[in-house]
Each structure stands twice: as structure tokens, then as C-alpha cells.
């Protein structure tokens, strides 16, 4: 199972391959903040410190929300992430 590492505090959790970052965080009470959980508020924006290629590409809707809330290249919405391999993330 892929590992999600939270750079902010060094903690990590496991997620099934192809699983939801949001669900894994909710199940494990992980240290990442969410708001709407449906890809519209931008609260969950994150960047990768490792494993950026180990997630599914963003949808058009995710890209639209990202365009509104940040201009940081490679930023993603945590609530929309599908995890395919090990990643390390930190909030933006
Ligand atoms: S929690 Fe609102 S966009 Fe992810």
C-alpha cells in the first residue's frame, strides 16, 4: 500500500493503491486541513515534496479551482487526489 507522508509533522499513513487522499486522511485523522471536500474552496491545497507523479492527473474542475486559488506550479487539491504510489505533501 502506498504511504502518504505529511512533511508538516513527519507523520505518515497508508492508503490503498488508487485510493482517495481525502478518505485516508479522514479515516486516520491525518494532519491536513479540508473544507468543502468537493473541490471548490481551496482549503486543502497542497504541494508535493516527493511522489508528484504518483497521483492521478487533475480533472478540469480541479484545474479551475486551482487557477482561482494559487499560481504555484504543481499544486493540487488534497480532496481530489487519487493516490497511486508513495507521496510526501505539505500544505501550500
Ligand atoms: S476541501 Fe475544498 S477544495 Fe478541497
Amino acid at each position: 500500500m502506498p504511504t502518504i507522508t505529511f512533511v508538516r509533522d513527519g507523520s505518515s499513513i497508508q492508503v490503498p493503491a488508487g485510493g482517495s487522499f481525502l478518505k485516508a486522511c479522514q479515516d486516520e485523522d491525518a494532519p491536513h486541513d479540508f473544507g468543502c471536500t468537493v473541490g471548490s474552496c481551496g482549503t486543502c491545497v497542497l504541494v508535493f515534496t516527493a511522489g508528484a507523479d504518483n497521483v492521478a492527473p487533475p480533472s478540469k474542475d480541479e484545474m479551475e479551482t486551482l487557477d482561482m486559488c494559487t499560481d504555484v506550479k504543481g499544486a493540487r487539491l488534497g480532496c481530489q487526489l487519487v493516490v497511486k504510489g508513495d507521496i510526501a505533501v505539505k500544505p501550500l
Side-chain angles (χ1 to χ4, degrees):
M1 286 211 293
T3 298
I4 301 170
T5 300
F6 299 92
V7 174
R8 183 159 68 177
D9 70 357
S11 65
S12 62
I13 62 174
Q14 303 282 305
V15 58
S20 160
F21 178 88
L22 170 66
K23 183 176 187 317
C25 288
Q26 290 174 329
D27 288 350
E28 301 293 332
D29 197 21
H32 191 79
D33 297 328
F34 298 94
C36 67
T37 71
V38 294
S40 60
C41 73
T43 302
C44 63
V45 173
L46 56 76
V47 291
F48 297 92
T49 60
D53 292 335
N54 290 338
V55 295
S59 67
K60 184 169 174 280
D61 286 347
E62 181 181 349
M63 290 302 296
E64 287 177 5
T65 299
L66 286 166
D67 284 346
M68 286 188 292
C69 62
T70 183
D71 56 4
V72 173
K73 190 170 164 42
R76 294 291 305 268
L77 297 178
C79 69
Q80 302 300 300
L81 275 189
V82 174
V83 183
K84 298 159 76 174
D86 293 350
I87 59 173
V89 300
K90 62 181 181 181
L92 188 60

